[in-house]
Amino acid sequence: DGNYVQGNMIGTDASGTGNLGNSGDGIRIDVGSTHNEIGGTDAGAGNLVAYNAGAGVTIVDGNSFETSILGNSIYANTGLAIDLGDDGVTLNDSADADLGANYLRNYPIITSVNQNGSDLEIDFNLELLAGDYRIEFYENPGGIDGSGYGEAERFLGAAQVTASGVGSEHFQTVLTGVTAVDLNSLSATATSYLGGTSYGGTSEFGPTTDSIAALNPIKDTYINSNTPDDNYGDSSTLIIDKSGGSFGNSRALLQFDLSTLPVGAEITGAVLQLNALSNDGAFKINVYEITQDWWEGTGGTGVADWIYRYSPENGSNEWTTAGGTIDSTQLASLTTGDIGLHSWDVTSLVRDWYE
C-alpha cells in the first residue's frame, strides 16, 4: 500500500519513441493494494506508459482502491489506458453505486468542446457520489483507442468540481491558454479530491469526443398567450420565459430527429444548448417534454400557436392543454442572467426517445 510510481518511462525508451513494451500491462495493481499514486499533479511526476501488450494501467480486484492516476501520458497500448477490473470498458452505473477496483468510479462524459481563440471550452456530465473531484482532460492526436474510449497522449488541463451525488450533473470549464490539436480526440478522467495535495481513486477514461453527435432542431418556434392566434415559425430567434405582463407567457418549442444516430449506440449523455442573445435580468428556464406533435409554421396566423398545434382544417388540431401539451415532469432547470451559451442536461429524455 501507499506506493508511488512517478517520473518513469514504461514500455518505451528514454526518448519516448522506442517500443520496449511489456508483454502484459504497463502498470498492474492487485491483491488489495490501496492508496497508491501513479503520476501526480507536481511537475515531473507523470509517467509515460506506452506500447505495452496489455492495458496502460490495470487495477484488478475490488480490494484495490484509492489509487490516483494523474498527469500521465498513457497511449498506444493494446488494452485500455486505464482498466478497472481487468475486464475492458466498465460502463457508468446509476448514482455510481457499484463497487470494485477503485470503486469502479464513473468516468466523465464530454458533451461539447469549442476552441474559442486561445481558450478551450469544455462541457461535461458527471454522475458521481457527493464530493469534490479533479477532472483531467487529455487529447490523442495520434489516434484514439479502438474501444472508442480515451487515452492520455497529451494532458490539456484540469478542473476541480463538486458533485451533489444526485443524478447526472452538467458542468462547464474553460482551459485558459490551451489549444487542442484534435478536438475529436478529447477524453477525461475523474479522481476524488481529499483535500490539500491528497487524491483518491481515478476512473477509467470516458468516451472520446468523436462520439459526440450534434443535432440541430428540425422544428423550432415560440408561442405566446397574449397573441394566441399568431405563429412565429419564421422568427430567427426564440423568446423564452417572458412570463406575464403586457407581453404574456412565452414558450419555445423544439423538435429533434434522432434517426441519424447509429443503431445500437449507447447514449452516455445529452445536453440541450441555447445561446442567450439578450435578457431582462436573471431568469429561470425549465425544460419539459412535449407530448403532442405540432407544425412549425411560417409566421402570421399559421401553426403552431397558443391554441392550435396543426392548421384548423386538419381536424383534432388543438393542444389538449393550451400553450402546448407537456409531461408535467420537469427535466432540467437553469436560472441565469448571463448572455451566451447555456446548457441543460436532458440525458434521461434522449435515452427514452432513442430506446
Side-chain angles (χ1 to χ4, degrees), residues 1 4 23 34 132 135 154 202 213 238-239 263 273 308 310 317 344:
D1 294 354
Y4 293 83
S23 60
T34 66
D132 297 328
I135 311 302
R154 177 177 177 240
T202 298
L238 301 174
I239 297 179
V263 175
Q273 294 187 314
Y308 292 101
Y310 291 147
N317 50 23
W344 295 260

PDB file of all heavy atoms in Angstrom, residues 1 4 23 34 132 135 154 202 213 238-239 263 273 308 310 317 344:
ATOM      1  N   ASP A   1       0.829  -1.198   0.000  1.00  0.00           N
ATOM      2  CA  ASP A   1       0.000   0.000   0.000  1.00  0.00           C
ATOM      3  C   ASP A   1       0.869   1.256   0.000  1.00  0.00           C
ATOM      4  O   ASP A   1       2.020   1.244   0.434  1.00  0.00           O
ATOM      5  CB  ASP A   1      -0.908   0.028   1.226  1.00  0.00           C
ATOM      6  CG  ASP A   1      -1.944  -1.070   1.212  1.00  0.00           C
ATOM      7  OD1 ASP A   1      -2.010  -1.772   0.195  1.00  0.00           O
ATOM      8  OD2 ASP A   1      -2.668  -1.230   2.210  1.00  0.00           O
ATOM      9  N   TYR A   4       4.402   4.792  -4.726  1.00  0.00           N
ATOM     10  CA  TYR A   4       4.494   5.902  -5.666  1.00  0.00           C
ATOM     11  C   TYR A   4       5.129   5.393  -6.960  1.00  0.00           C
ATOM     12  O   TYR A   4       6.181   4.757  -6.941  1.00  0.00           O
ATOM     13  CB  TYR A   4       5.366   7.030  -5.100  1.00  0.00           C
ATOM     14  CG  TYR A   4       4.782   7.726  -3.907  1.00  0.00           C
ATOM     15  CD1 TYR A   4       4.921   7.188  -2.632  1.00  0.00           C
ATOM     16  CD2 TYR A   4       4.087   8.919  -4.044  1.00  0.00           C
ATOM     17  CE1 TYR A   4       4.379   7.826  -1.518  1.00  0.00           C
ATOM     18  CE2 TYR A   4       3.539   9.567  -2.943  1.00  0.00           C
ATOM     19  CZ  TYR A   4       3.694   9.009  -1.685  1.00  0.00           C
ATOM     20  OH  TYR A   4       3.161   9.646  -0.595  1.00  0.00           O
ATOM     21  N   SER A  23       5.043  -7.474 -22.076  1.00  0.00           N
ATOM     22  CA  SER A  23       4.133  -8.461 -22.660  1.00  0.00           C
ATOM     23  C   SER A  23       2.761  -8.425 -22.027  1.00  0.00           C
ATOM     24  O   SER A  23       1.822  -9.059 -22.516  1.00  0.00           O
ATOM     25  CB  SER A  23       4.726  -9.871 -22.510  1.00  0.00           C
ATOM     26  OG  SER A  23       4.915 -10.185 -21.133  1.00  0.00           O
ATOM     27  N   THR A  34      -3.738  -0.548  -1.911  1.00  0.00           N
ATOM     28  CA  THR A  34      -4.554   0.663  -1.827  1.00  0.00           C
ATOM     29  C   THR A  34      -3.688   1.907  -1.653  1.00  0.00           C
ATOM     30  O   THR A  34      -2.507   1.834  -1.320  1.00  0.00           O
ATOM     31  CB  THR A  34      -5.531   0.578  -0.644  1.00  0.00           C
ATOM     32  OG1 THR A  34      -4.790   0.583   0.588  1.00  0.00           O
ATOM     33  CG2 THR A  34      -6.372  -0.688  -0.721  1.00  0.00           C
ATOM     34  N   ASP A 132     -15.837  16.212  -3.792  1.00  0.00           N
ATOM     35  CA  ASP A 132     -15.003  17.029  -4.672  1.00  0.00           C
ATOM     36  C   ASP A 132     -14.163  16.131  -5.574  1.00  0.00           C
ATOM     37  O   ASP A 132     -13.672  15.078  -5.141  1.00  0.00           O
ATOM     38  CB  ASP A 132     -14.083  17.925  -3.848  1.00  0.00           C
ATOM     39  CG  ASP A 132     -14.851  18.926  -3.001  1.00  0.00           C
ATOM     40  OD1 ASP A 132     -15.929  19.358  -3.443  1.00  0.00           O
ATOM     41  OD2 ASP A 132     -14.385  19.257  -1.893  1.00  0.00           O
ATOM     42  N   ILE A 135     -11.072  16.724 -12.409  1.00  0.00           N
ATOM     43  CA  ILE A 135     -11.372  16.207 -13.746  1.00  0.00           C
ATOM     44  C   ILE A 135     -10.209  16.571 -14.649  1.00  0.00           C
ATOM     45  O   ILE A 135      -9.901  17.752 -14.836  1.00  0.00           O
ATOM     46  CB  ILE A 135     -12.681  16.804 -14.299  1.00  0.00           C
ATOM     47  CG1 ILE A 135     -13.805  16.702 -13.259  1.00  0.00           C
ATOM     48  CG2 ILE A 135     -13.073  16.102 -15.596  1.00  0.00           C
ATOM     49  CD1 ILE A 135     -14.112  15.300 -12.795  1.00  0.00           C
ATOM     50  N   ARG A 154      -1.791  13.417 -24.605  1.00  0.00           N
ATOM     51  CA  ARG A 154      -1.365  14.781 -24.258  1.00  0.00           C
ATOM     52  C   ARG A 154      -2.305  15.357 -23.214  1.00  0.00           C
ATOM     53  O   ARG A 154      -3.509  15.441 -23.422  1.00  0.00           O
ATOM     54  CB  ARG A 154      -1.364  15.657 -25.504  1.00  0.00           C
ATOM     55  CG  ARG A 154      -1.001  17.117 -25.232  1.00  0.00           C
ATOM     56  CD  ARG A 154      -0.954  17.933 -26.506  1.00  0.00           C
ATOM     57  NE  ARG A 154      -0.673  19.334 -26.221  1.00  0.00           N
ATOM     58  CZ  ARG A 154      -1.490  20.353 -26.528  1.00  0.00           C
ATOM     59  NH1 ARG A 154      -2.626  20.117 -27.161  1.00  0.00           N
ATOM     60  NH2 ARG A 154      -1.162  21.592 -26.225  1.00  0.00           N
ATOM     61  N   THR A 202      -9.066   7.033  -9.183  1.00  0.00           N
ATOM     62  CA  THR A 202      -9.326   7.594 -10.508  1.00  0.00           C
ATOM     63  C   THR A 202     -10.200   6.639 -11.307  1.00  0.00           C
ATOM     64  O   THR A 202     -10.089   5.422 -11.191  1.00  0.00           O
ATOM     65  CB  THR A 202      -7.999   7.837 -11.253  1.00  0.00           C
ATOM     66  OG1 THR A 202      -7.227   8.797 -10.530  1.00  0.00           O
ATOM     67  CG2 THR A 202      -8.232   8.356 -12.674  1.00  0.00           C
ATOM     68  N   ALA A 213     -22.528  13.535 -31.111  1.00  0.00           N
ATOM     69  CA  ALA A 213     -23.397  13.846 -32.249  1.00  0.00           C
ATOM     70  C   ALA A 213     -24.120  15.154 -31.948  1.00  0.00           C
ATOM     71  O   ALA A 213     -24.831  15.263 -30.950  1.00  0.00           O
ATOM     72  CB  ALA A 213     -24.408  12.726 -32.468  1.00  0.00           C
ATOM     73  N   LEU A 238     -35.744  32.826 -30.643  1.00  0.00           N
ATOM     74  CA  LEU A 238     -36.810  32.314 -29.786  1.00  0.00           C
ATOM     75  C   LEU A 238     -36.944  33.217 -28.571  1.00  0.00           C
ATOM     76  O   LEU A 238     -35.937  33.671 -28.018  1.00  0.00           O
ATOM     77  CB  LEU A 238     -36.499  30.888 -29.320  1.00  0.00           C
ATOM     78  CG  LEU A 238     -36.310  29.832 -30.403  1.00  0.00           C
ATOM     79  CD1 LEU A 238     -35.851  28.516 -29.770  1.00  0.00           C
ATOM     80  CD2 LEU A 238     -37.604  29.618 -31.171  1.00  0.00           C
ATOM     81  N   ILE A 239     -38.177  33.468 -28.149  1.00  0.00           N
ATOM     82  CA  ILE A 239     -38.423  34.194 -26.906  1.00  0.00           C
ATOM     83  C   ILE A 239     -38.906  33.179 -25.882  1.00  0.00           C
ATOM     84  O   ILE A 239     -39.864  32.448 -26.109  1.00  0.00           O
ATOM     85  CB  ILE A 239     -39.449  35.322 -27.099  1.00  0.00           C
ATOM     86  CG1 ILE A 239     -38.888  36.358 -28.079  1.00  0.00           C
ATOM     87  CG2 ILE A 239     -39.779  35.965 -25.763  1.00  0.00           C
ATOM     88  CD1 ILE A 239     -39.837  37.510 -28.361  1.00  0.00           C
ATOM     89  N   VAL A 263     -27.631   2.760 -35.182  1.00  0.00           N
ATOM     90  CA  VAL A 263     -28.361   1.706 -34.482  1.00  0.00           C
ATOM     91  C   VAL A 263     -27.435   1.064 -33.444  1.00  0.00           C
ATOM     92  O   VAL A 263     -26.275   0.774 -33.721  1.00  0.00           O
ATOM     93  CB  VAL A 263     -28.864   0.641 -35.474  1.00  0.00           C
ATOM     94  CG1 VAL A 263     -29.524  -0.519 -34.735  1.00  0.00           C
ATOM     95  CG2 VAL A 263     -29.830   1.275 -36.467  1.00  0.00           C
ATOM     96  N   GLN A 273     -28.512  22.872 -25.666  1.00  0.00           N
ATOM     97  CA  GLN A 273     -27.786  24.125 -25.566  1.00  0.00           C
ATOM     98  C   GLN A 273     -28.502  25.220 -26.347  1.00  0.00           C
ATOM     99  O   GLN A 273     -28.909  25.023 -27.487  1.00  0.00           O
ATOM    100  CB  GLN A 273     -26.361  23.972 -26.091  1.00  0.00           C
ATOM    101  CG  GLN A 273     -25.497  23.046 -25.239  1.00  0.00           C
ATOM    102  CD  GLN A 273     -24.052  23.044 -25.664  1.00  0.00           C
ATOM    103  OE1 GLN A 273     -23.737  22.959 -26.833  1.00  0.00           O
ATOM    104  NE2 GLN A 273     -23.144  23.139 -24.695  1.00  0.00           N
ATOM    105  N   TYR A 308     -53.535  26.172 -31.179  1.00  0.00           N
ATOM    106  CA  TYR A 308     -53.505  25.091 -32.171  1.00  0.00           C
ATOM    107  C   TYR A 308     -52.087  24.538 -32.361  1.00  0.00           C
ATOM    108  O   TYR A 308     -51.108  25.265 -32.303  1.00  0.00           O
ATOM    109  CB  TYR A 308     -54.026  25.587 -33.522  1.00  0.00           C
ATOM    110  CG  TYR A 308     -55.501  25.912 -33.507  1.00  0.00           C
ATOM    111  CD1 TYR A 308     -55.931  27.230 -33.418  1.00  0.00           C
ATOM    112  CD2 TYR A 308     -56.460  24.909 -33.584  1.00  0.00           C
ATOM    113  CE1 TYR A 308     -57.283  27.534 -33.404  1.00  0.00           C
ATOM    114  CE2 TYR A 308     -57.805  25.199 -33.560  1.00  0.00           C
ATOM    115  CZ  TYR A 308     -58.218  26.515 -33.464  1.00  0.00           C
ATOM    116  OH  TYR A 308     -59.549  26.802 -33.440  1.00  0.00           O
ATOM    117  N   TYR A 310     -51.869  22.087 -35.122  1.00  0.00           N
ATOM    118  CA  TYR A 310     -51.987  21.886 -36.562  1.00  0.00           C
ATOM    119  C   TYR A 310     -52.885  22.973 -37.133  1.00  0.00           C
ATOM    120  O   TYR A 310     -53.584  23.667 -36.398  1.00  0.00           O
ATOM    121  CB  TYR A 310     -52.618  20.533 -36.894  1.00  0.00           C
ATOM    122  CG  TYR A 310     -51.787  19.315 -36.591  1.00  0.00           C
ATOM    123  CD1 TYR A 310     -52.400  18.126 -36.202  1.00  0.00           C
ATOM    124  CD2 TYR A 310     -50.408  19.333 -36.702  1.00  0.00           C
ATOM    125  CE1 TYR A 310     -51.646  16.991 -35.921  1.00  0.00           C
ATOM    126  CE2 TYR A 310     -49.649  18.214 -36.429  1.00  0.00           C
ATOM    127  CZ  TYR A 310     -50.277  17.037 -36.039  1.00  0.00           C
ATOM    128  OH  TYR A 310     -49.538  15.931 -35.767  1.00  0.00           O
ATOM    129  N   ASN A 317     -56.968  19.375 -33.972  1.00  0.00           N
ATOM    130  CA  ASN A 317     -55.795  20.211 -34.142  1.00  0.00           C
ATOM    131  C   ASN A 317     -55.421  21.054 -32.934  1.00  0.00           C
ATOM    132  O   ASN A 317     -54.385  21.693 -32.934  1.00  0.00           O
ATOM    133  CB  ASN A 317     -55.993  21.135 -35.345  1.00  0.00           C
ATOM    134  CG  ASN A 317     -57.341  21.853 -35.268  1.00  0.00           C
ATOM    135  OD1 ASN A 317     -57.910  22.001 -34.193  1.00  0.00           O
ATOM    136  ND2 ASN A 317     -57.832  22.290 -36.414  1.00  0.00           N
ATOM    137  N   TRP A 344     -28.594  22.478 -20.598  1.00  0.00           N
ATOM    138  CA  TRP A 344     -29.492  21.711 -19.753  1.00  0.00           C
ATOM    139  C   TRP A 344     -29.242  20.226 -20.008  1.00  0.00           C
ATOM    140  O   TRP A 344     -29.182  19.790 -21.165  1.00  0.00           O
ATOM    141  CB  TRP A 344     -30.959  22.027 -20.070  1.00  0.00           C
ATOM    142  CG  TRP A 344     -31.386  23.422 -19.762  1.00  0.00           C
ATOM    143  CD1 TRP A 344     -32.082  23.865 -18.674  1.00  0.00           C
ATOM    144  CD2 TRP A 344     -31.169  24.592 -20.573  1.00  0.00           C
ATOM    145  NE1 TRP A 344     -32.291  25.214 -18.743  1.00  0.00           N
ATOM    146  CE2 TRP A 344     -31.744  25.695 -19.905  1.00  0.00           C
ATOM    147  CE3 TRP A 344     -30.519  24.809 -21.792  1.00  0.00           C
ATOM    148  CZ2 TRP A 344     -31.706  26.982 -20.410  1.00  0.00           C
ATOM    149  CZ3 TRP A 344     -30.478  26.092 -22.299  1.00  0.00           C
ATOM    150  CH2 TRP A 344     -31.072  27.170 -21.614  1.00  0.00           C
TER     151      TRP A 344
END
